[in-house]
PDB file of all heavy atoms in Angstrom:
ATOM      1  N   LEU A 296     -21.766  30.921 -16.531  1.00 98.00           N
ATOM      2  CA  LEU A 296     -20.578  30.799 -17.383  1.00 98.00           C
ATOM      3  C   LEU A 296     -20.710  29.544 -18.241  1.00 98.00           C
ATOM      4  O   LEU A 296     -20.742  28.430 -17.719  1.00 98.00           O
ATOM      5  CB  LEU A 296     -19.307  30.680 -16.522  1.00 98.00           C
ATOM      6  CG  LEU A 296     -18.023  30.259 -17.262  1.00 98.00           C
ATOM      7  CD1 LEU A 296     -17.588  31.328 -18.257  1.00 98.00           C
ATOM      8  CD2 LEU A 296     -16.879  29.986 -16.279  1.00 98.00           C
ATOM      9  N   ARG A 298     -18.573  27.751 -20.880  1.00 96.00           N
ATOM     10  CA  ARG A 298     -17.208  27.773 -21.444  1.00 96.00           C
ATOM     11  C   ARG A 298     -17.251  27.176 -22.852  1.00 96.00           C
ATOM     12  O   ARG A 298     -17.000  25.989 -23.045  1.00 96.00           O
ATOM     13  CB  ARG A 298     -16.260  26.945 -20.577  1.00 96.00           C
ATOM     14  CG  ARG A 298     -15.937  27.541 -19.218  1.00 96.00           C
ATOM     15  CD  ARG A 298     -14.910  26.672 -18.509  1.00 96.00           C
ATOM     16  NE  ARG A 298     -14.301  27.346 -17.379  1.00 96.00           N
ATOM     17  CZ  ARG A 298     -14.676  27.202 -16.110  1.00 96.00           C
ATOM     18  NH1 ARG A 298     -15.676  26.392 -15.799  1.00 96.00           N
ATOM     19  NH2 ARG A 298     -14.051  27.833 -15.142  1.00 96.00           N
ATOM     20  N   ARG A 334     -19.868  32.639 -22.730  1.00 98.00           N
ATOM     21  CA  ARG A 334     -18.548  33.259 -22.817  1.00 98.00           C
ATOM     22  C   ARG A 334     -17.932  32.885 -24.157  1.00 98.00           C
ATOM     23  O   ARG A 334     -17.914  31.707 -24.522  1.00 98.00           O
ATOM     24  CB  ARG A 334     -17.644  32.762 -21.695  1.00 98.00           C
ATOM     25  CG  ARG A 334     -16.246  33.324 -21.869  1.00 98.00           C
ATOM     26  CD  ARG A 334     -15.321  32.922 -20.793  1.00 98.00           C
ATOM     27  NE  ARG A 334     -14.873  31.556 -20.917  1.00 98.00           N
ATOM     28  CZ  ARG A 334     -14.052  30.972 -20.050  1.00 98.00           C
ATOM     29  NH1 ARG A 334     -13.649  31.638 -18.996  1.00 98.00           N
ATOM     30  NH2 ARG A 334     -13.663  29.741 -20.223  1.00 98.00           N
ATOM     31  N   LYS A 342      -5.758  25.435 -22.970  1.00 82.00           N
ATOM     32  CA  LYS A 342      -6.755  24.839 -23.867  1.00 82.00           C
ATOM     33  C   LYS A 342      -6.410  25.214 -25.311  1.00 82.00           C
ATOM     34  O   LYS A 342      -6.580  26.367 -25.702  1.00 82.00           O
ATOM     35  CB  LYS A 342      -8.153  25.358 -23.499  1.00 82.00           C
ATOM     36  CG  LYS A 342      -8.631  24.835 -22.152  1.00 82.00           C
ATOM     37  CD  LYS A 342      -9.921  25.464 -21.716  1.00 82.00           C
ATOM     38  CE  LYS A 342      -9.759  26.899 -21.300  1.00 82.00           C
ATOM     39  NZ  LYS A 342     -10.881  27.435 -20.521  1.00 82.00           N
ATOM     40  N   ARG A 360      -4.099  34.218 -25.979  1.00 95.00           N
ATOM     41  CA  ARG A 360      -5.204  33.505 -25.347  1.00 95.00           C
ATOM     42  C   ARG A 360      -6.509  34.310 -25.439  1.00 95.00           C
ATOM     43  O   ARG A 360      -6.479  35.536 -25.517  1.00 95.00           O
ATOM     44  CB  ARG A 360      -4.826  33.297 -23.862  1.00 95.00           C
ATOM     45  CG  ARG A 360      -5.807  32.503 -23.099  1.00 95.00           C
ATOM     46  CD  ARG A 360      -5.488  32.400 -21.626  1.00 95.00           C
ATOM     47  NE  ARG A 360      -6.679  31.889 -20.965  1.00 95.00           N
ATOM     48  CZ  ARG A 360      -6.881  31.858 -19.670  1.00 95.00           C
ATOM     49  NH1 ARG A 360      -5.945  32.279 -18.851  1.00 95.00           N
ATOM     50  NH2 ARG A 360      -8.004  31.385 -19.175  1.00 95.00           N
ATOM     51  N   MET A 431     -15.404  39.644 -18.435  1.00 98.00           N
ATOM     52  CA  MET A 431     -14.819  38.877 -17.345  1.00 98.00           C
ATOM     53  C   MET A 431     -13.684  39.702 -16.761  1.00 98.00           C
ATOM     54  O   MET A 431     -12.821  40.185 -17.487  1.00 98.00           O
ATOM     55  CB  MET A 431     -14.248  37.553 -17.858  1.00 98.00           C
ATOM     56  CG  MET A 431     -15.326  36.534 -18.080  1.00 98.00           C
ATOM     57  SD  MET A 431     -14.629  34.895 -18.153  1.00 98.00           S
ATOM     58  CE  MET A 431     -14.259  34.557 -16.438  1.00 98.00           C
ATOM     59  N   GLU A 433     -10.609  39.246 -15.013  1.00 98.00           N
ATOM     60  CA  GLU A 433      -9.693  38.179 -14.604  1.00 98.00           C
ATOM     61  C   GLU A 433      -8.231  38.555 -14.821  1.00 98.00           C
ATOM     62  O   GLU A 433      -7.337  37.760 -14.573  1.00 98.00           O
ATOM     63  CB  GLU A 433     -10.034  36.861 -15.308  1.00 98.00           C
ATOM     64  CG  GLU A 433     -10.247  36.950 -16.790  1.00 98.00           C
ATOM     65  CD  GLU A 433     -10.704  35.626 -17.408  1.00 98.00           C
ATOM     66  OE1 GLU A 433     -10.708  34.589 -16.720  1.00 98.00           O
ATOM     67  OE2 GLU A 433     -11.036  35.636 -18.598  1.00 98.00           O
ATOM     68  N   GLY A 454     -13.468  36.478 -12.757  1.00 98.00           N
ATOM     69  CA  GLY A 454     -12.899  35.136 -12.977  1.00 98.00           C
ATOM     70  C   GLY A 454     -11.691  34.970 -12.071  1.00 98.00           C
ATOM     71  O   GLY A 454     -10.557  35.257 -12.449  1.00 98.00           O
ATOM     72  N   THR A 455     -11.951  34.519 -10.866  1.00 98.00           N
ATOM     73  CA  THR A 455     -10.838  34.460  -9.898  1.00 98.00           C
ATOM     74  C   THR A 455      -9.806  33.383 -10.233  1.00 98.00           C
ATOM     75  O   THR A 455      -8.662  33.485  -9.794  1.00 98.00           O
ATOM     76  CB  THR A 455     -11.361  34.205  -8.466  1.00 98.00           C
ATOM     77  OG1 THR A 455     -12.406  33.251  -8.548  1.00 98.00           O
ATOM     78  CG2 THR A 455     -11.818  35.469  -7.817  1.00 98.00           C
ATOM     79  N   ASN A 456     -10.212  32.360 -10.992  1.00 97.00           N
ATOM     80  CA  ASN A 456      -9.217  31.324 -11.321  1.00 97.00           C
ATOM     81  C   ASN A 456      -8.006  31.976 -11.976  1.00 97.00           C
ATOM     82  O   ASN A 456      -6.863  31.650 -11.675  1.00 97.00           O
ATOM     83  CB  ASN A 456      -9.808  30.289 -12.286  1.00 97.00           C
ATOM     84  CG  ASN A 456     -11.044  29.627 -11.725  1.00 97.00           C
ATOM     85  OD1 ASN A 456     -11.276  29.708 -10.533  1.00 97.00           O
ATOM     86  ND2 ASN A 456     -11.832  29.000 -12.573  1.00 97.00           N
ATOM     87  N   ASP A 457      -8.296  32.914 -12.869  1.00 97.00           N
ATOM     88  CA  ASP A 457      -7.200  33.624 -13.518  1.00 97.00           C
ATOM     89  C   ASP A 457      -6.757  34.851 -12.735  1.00 97.00           C
ATOM     90  O   ASP A 457      -5.569  35.140 -12.663  1.00 97.00           O
ATOM     91  CB  ASP A 457      -7.606  34.039 -14.939  1.00 97.00           C
ATOM     92  CG  ASP A 457      -7.479  32.871 -15.891  1.00 97.00           C
ATOM     93  OD1 ASP A 457      -6.420  32.223 -15.871  1.00 97.00           O
ATOM     94  OD2 ASP A 457      -8.433  32.590 -16.630  1.00 97.00           O
ATOM     95  N   ARG A 467      -1.720  28.649 -12.408  1.00 93.00           N
ATOM     96  CA  ARG A 467      -2.823  27.927 -11.767  1.00 93.00           C
ATOM     97  C   ARG A 467      -2.758  26.418 -11.989  1.00 93.00           C
ATOM     98  O   ARG A 467      -3.422  25.657 -11.290  1.00 93.00           O
ATOM     99  CB  ARG A 467      -4.172  28.467 -12.263  1.00 93.00           C
ATOM    100  CG  ARG A 467      -4.421  28.221 -13.726  1.00 93.00           C
ATOM    101  CD  ARG A 467      -5.590  29.030 -14.243  1.00 93.00           C
ATOM    102  NE  ARG A 467      -6.802  28.249 -14.359  1.00 93.00           N
ATOM    103  CZ  ARG A 467      -7.930  28.690 -14.915  1.00 93.00           C
ATOM    104  NH1 ARG A 467      -7.988  29.925 -15.383  1.00 93.00           N
ATOM    105  NH2 ARG A 467      -8.975  27.926 -15.000  1.00 93.00           N
ATOM    106  N   CYS A 504     -17.585  33.931 -11.457  1.00 98.00           N
ATOM    107  CA  CYS A 504     -17.698  32.579 -11.985  1.00 98.00           C
ATOM    108  C   CYS A 504     -16.422  31.767 -11.735  1.00 98.00           C
ATOM    109  O   CYS A 504     -16.279  30.649 -12.193  1.00 98.00           O
ATOM    110  CB  CYS A 504     -18.054  32.595 -13.468  1.00 98.00           C
ATOM    111  SG  CYS A 504     -16.892  33.548 -14.452  1.00 98.00           S
ATOM    112  N   GLY A 505     -15.486  32.347 -10.982  1.00 97.00           N
ATOM    113  CA  GLY A 505     -14.300  31.587 -10.579  1.00 97.00           C
ATOM    114  C   GLY A 505     -14.703  30.558  -9.522  1.00 97.00           C
ATOM    115  O   GLY A 505     -15.736  30.725  -8.851  1.00 97.00           O
TER     116      GLY A 505
HETATM  117  C1  PEP B 601     -11.749  32.144 -14.250  1.00 90.86           C
HETATM  118  O1  PEP B 601     -10.650  32.431 -14.722  1.00 90.86           O
HETATM  119  O2  PEP B 601     -12.047  32.312 -13.057  1.00 90.86           O
HETATM  120  C2  PEP B 601     -12.764  31.505 -15.103  1.00 90.86           C
HETATM  121  C3  PEP B 601     -13.962  31.275 -14.629  1.00 90.86           C
HETATM  122  O3  PEP B 601     -12.400  31.145 -16.361  1.00 90.86           O
HETATM  123  P1  PEP B 601     -11.563  29.806 -16.709  1.00 90.86           P
HETATM  124  O4  PEP B 601     -11.470  28.973 -15.473  1.00 90.86           O
HETATM  125  O5  PEP B 601     -12.279  29.118 -17.803  1.00 90.86           O
HETATM  126  O6  PEP B 601     -10.250  30.371 -17.126  1.00 90.86           O
END
Side-chain angles (χ1 to χ4, degrees):
L296 168 66
R298 290 184 165 97
R334 175 178 76 181
K342 291 173 288 197
R360 184 185 166 192
M431 281 198 75
E433 48 185 352
T455 40
N456 302 343
D457 280 311
R467 65 193 259 187
C504 56

